[in-house]
C-alpha cells in the first residue's frame, strides 16, 4: 500500500448470503489496491452468513460488522454509507458477485485525476452471468442519452459497479435513510442531476443473476417491479417524493418532473402528463410502453 493513498470504504449489505459471500469477500481481499476498509451490515440473516464473516474477522481481516434487523437492502446500504464516515471514496458491493483484482485500483486512478469538489460516480463495466459465473455477457451503457427523467424511472448504473467520492456521499446522505428503498437509484438520480458519471468500459466484476437477487438487473426483479407497480408500490414514488422533499425548488424543471410521481391518490392530470410526456422515460422500447400504460391507469 502506498503511503497516503486514498482510503476506499467497501460497503456490503448481506442477507442470507452464505452460498456466495465467501467468494465475494475473497475477491475483495485480493484487490491490487491496498487501502481498503470493509463495512458489512447484515440485514437479519438466519443462515451461516454471520459465522462466515466472523471467521474472517477472527483471522485478522479488516472488516467492521454491524448486525441489524431486516430493513431492506436500500436502507441497509444507506446506513452503511452514514456509518463509514472516515474515507475518500465509497464502493457499493453485492454479496454474491466476484470482483476482478483491479476493480478498486481503476476507480481510484480515475477519481484521483478529477475535480473532487463536485459529486462524482465512477461506474465500471461488468459481466452478467448465471449462478455458476458462466455464460457471461458484457454490460452496455454507452450512448444512451441518459437524462433526469430516465434516471427517475429506471436504474442502469448498478450499485455494485459504482464508486463515489465524498461530495457524492454527502449529497446522498441529505436524504432520510428510512425514505430510501434503493440506494443505487438514489445515487444515480443525484449524479445525473448534480454531478457527473464516468463509465469505464473495462470489465471489473462478474454479477450473478439469481432469482432471489435484490439487483435491479435480474429478470426476477423486473417481474417483481411490475407486480409491485400493479399494487401501487412502484419504487419510483419513494425516490421522487424524497427528491422533491430534499431539493425543494418548484421552479426547477426536474423538480416538476419528479413531482408528477408524488401522489396521495389518483390524479387524472398527472397521469396524463406522465403518459404523454414528449420525451423517453426508459431506454427499452418495451419497458417504455409498459411504463406509460401503468402511468395512464395511475399505477406509477
Amino acid at each position: 500500500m502506498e503511503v497516503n493513498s486514498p482510503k476506499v470504504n467497501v460497503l456490503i449489505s448481506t442477507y442470507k448470503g452464505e452460498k456466495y459471500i465467501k467468494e465475494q469477500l475473497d475477491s475483495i481481499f485480493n484487490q491490487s489496491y491496498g487501502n481498503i476498509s470493509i463495512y458489512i451490515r447484515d440485514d437479519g440473516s438466519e443462515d451461516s452468513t454471520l459465522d462466515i464473516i466472523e471467521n474472517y474477522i477472527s483471522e485478522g481481516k479488516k472488516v467492521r460488522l454491524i448486525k441489524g434487523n431486516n430493513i431492506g437492502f436500500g436502507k441497509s446500504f444507506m446506513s452503511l454509507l452514514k456509518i463509514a464516515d472516515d474515507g475518500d471514496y465509497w464502493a457499493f458491493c453485492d454479496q454474491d458477485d466476484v470482483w476482478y483484482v483491479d476493480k478498486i485500483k481503476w476507480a481510484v486512478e480515475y477519481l484521483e485525476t478529477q475535480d473532487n469538489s463536485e459529486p462524482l460516480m465512477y461506474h465500471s463495466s461488468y459481466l452478467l452471468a448465471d449462478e455458476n459465473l458462466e455464460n457471461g455477457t458484457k454490460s452496455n451503457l454507452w450512448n444512451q442519452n441518459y437524462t433526469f427523467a430516465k434516471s427517475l424511472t429506471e436504474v442502469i448504473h448498478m450499485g455494485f459497479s459504482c464508486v463515489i467520492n465524498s461530495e457524492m456521499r454527502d449529497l446522498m446522505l441529505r436524504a432520510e435513510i428510512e425514505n430510501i428503498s434503493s440506494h443505487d437509484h438514489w445515487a444515480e438520480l443525484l449524479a445525473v442531476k448534480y454531478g457527473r458519471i464516468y463509465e469505464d468500459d473495462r470489465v471489473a466484476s462478474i454479477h450473478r443473476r439469481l432469482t432471489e437477487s435484490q439487483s435491479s438487473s435480474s429478470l426476477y426483479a423486473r417481474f417483481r417491479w411490475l407486480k409491485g407497480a400493479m399494487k401501487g408500490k412502484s419504487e419510483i414514488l419513494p425516490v421522487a417524493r424524497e427528491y422533491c422533499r430534499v431539493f425543494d425548488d418548484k421552479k426547477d424543471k426536474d423538480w416538476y418532473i419528479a413531482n408528477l410521481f408524488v401522489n396521495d391518490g389518483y390524479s387524472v392530470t398527472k397521469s396524463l402528463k406522465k403518459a404523454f410526456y414528449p420525451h423517453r422515460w426508459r431506454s427499452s422500447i418495451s419497458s417504455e410502453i409498459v411504463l406509460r400504460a401503468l402511468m395512464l391507469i395511475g399505477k406509477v
Side-chain angles (χ1 to χ4, degrees):
M1 181 175 67
E2 295 183 8
V3 178
N4 298 323
S5 59
K7 179 182 177 183
V8 180
N9 293 316
V10 175
L11 312 180
I12 312 174
S13 178
T14 58
Y15 181 67
K16 296 181 180 180
E18 63 181 4
K19 192 172 182 179
Y20 302 114
I21 186 63
K22 187 177 187 302
E23 193 172 7
Q24 174 64 298
L25 286 174
D26 285 342
S27 74
I28 300 172
F29 294 134
N30 290 329
Q31 287 291 296
S32 61
Y33 188 81
N35 195 5
I36 293 175
S37 291
I38 301 175
Y39 287 77
I40 302 175
R41 183 190 179 280
D42 186 75
D43 203 32
S45 296
E46 298 172 349
D47 59 4
S48 62
T49 300
L50 287 171
D51 294 333
I52 295 170
I53 297 168
E54 288 172 339
N55 185 58
Y56 279 108
I57 294 173
S58 69
E59 294 174 352
K61 296 297 185 182
K62 200 173 181 180
V63 176
R64 179 178 173 185
L65 174 62
I66 299 97
K67 301 176 185 178
N69 297 322
N70 185 259
I71 58 175
F73 74 97
K75 295 177 180 62
S76 188
F77 272 111
M78 289 292 290
S79 296
L80 282 171
L81 190 62
K82 184 175 182 179
I83 291 169
D85 57 357
D86 177 25
D88 299 287
Y89 303 114
W90 288 259
F92 300 111
C93 177
D94 281 6
Q95 66 182 3
D96 42 26
D97 298 338
V98 172
W99 285 8
Y100 289 162
V101 66
D102 290 326
K103 185 178 189 298
I104 296 300
K105 175 188 173 184
W106 291 343
V108 173
E109 285 178 344
Y110 169 76
L111 290 166
E112 283 294 284
T113 66
Q114 303 304 301
D115 178 5
N116 274 275
S117 66
E118 66 174 324
L120 298 175
M121 175 191 288
Y122 166 94
H123 186 278
S124 53
S125 291
Y126 54 89
L127 294 180
L128 282 168
D130 60 26
E131 62 180 304
N132 297 315
L133 299 182
E134 298 174 347
N135 304 312
T137 57
K138 185 180 177 183
S139 60
N140 182 15
L141 305 181
W142 326 122
N143 301 318
Q144 294 204 26
N145 187 28
Y146 212 62
T147 63
F148 180 86
K150 285 184 179 179
S151 66
L152 188 63
T153 59
E154 68 178 351
V155 184
I156 67 168
H157 296 94
M158 310 306 295
F160 60 81
S161 276
C162 292
V163 181
I164 64 173
N165 69 349
S166 181
E167 289 296 316
M168 188 67 209
R169 172 184 178 267
D170 291 345
L171 197 62
M172 290 182 67
L173 289 176
R174 290 180 63 178
E176 294 291 339
I177 291 176
E178 61 268 22
N179 294 339
I180 300 298
S181 59
S182 174
H183 64 294
D184 42 7
H185 195 171
W186 183 240
E188 183 179 73
L189 183 72
L190 299 185
V192 168
K193 176 63 177 176
Y194 297 107
R196 188 158 47 86
I197 301 174
Y198 174 71
E199 297 168 341
D200 192 334
D201 190 46
R202 293 174 292 184
V203 173
S205 61
I206 310 177
H207 177 60
R208 279 190 173 94
R209 288 185 287 194
L210 307 172
T211 55
E212 66 269 23
S213 174
Q214 294 295 319
S215 169
S216 301
S217 67
S218 69
L219 289 176
Y220 173 76
R222 293 177 187 273
F223 174 77
R224 188 181 62 218
W225 175 84
L226 179 58
K227 185 178 179 180
M230 290 303 296
K231 294 180 179 179
K233 298 179 180 179
S234 166
E235 292 182 354
I236 299 173
L237 174 58
V239 74
R241 177 179 286 136
E242 189 64 1
Y243 177 83
C244 289
R245 186 192 70 82
V246 175
F247 304 98
D248 189 11
D249 182 2
K250 297 177 177 61
K251 296 180 180 179
D252 182 77
K253 64 180 181 63
D254 290 331
W255 186 94
Y256 173 80
I257 291 172
N259 190 55
L260 291 175
F261 294 88
V262 181
N263 300 319
D264 293 325
Y266 180 66
S267 168
V268 174
T269 301
K270 286 188 175 182
S271 292
L272 290 173
K273 286 181 178 180
K274 289 181 290 187
F276 295 100
Y277 181 65
H279 306 291
R280 288 284 293 273
W281 288 112
R282 290 193 164 180
S283 304
S284 163
I285 289 293
S286 58
S287 183
E288 179 86 4
I289 293 170
V290 171
L291 182 65
R292 287 180 185 266
L294 291 170
M295 290 171 170
L296 198 58
I297 62 176
K299 296 299 183 181
V300 173

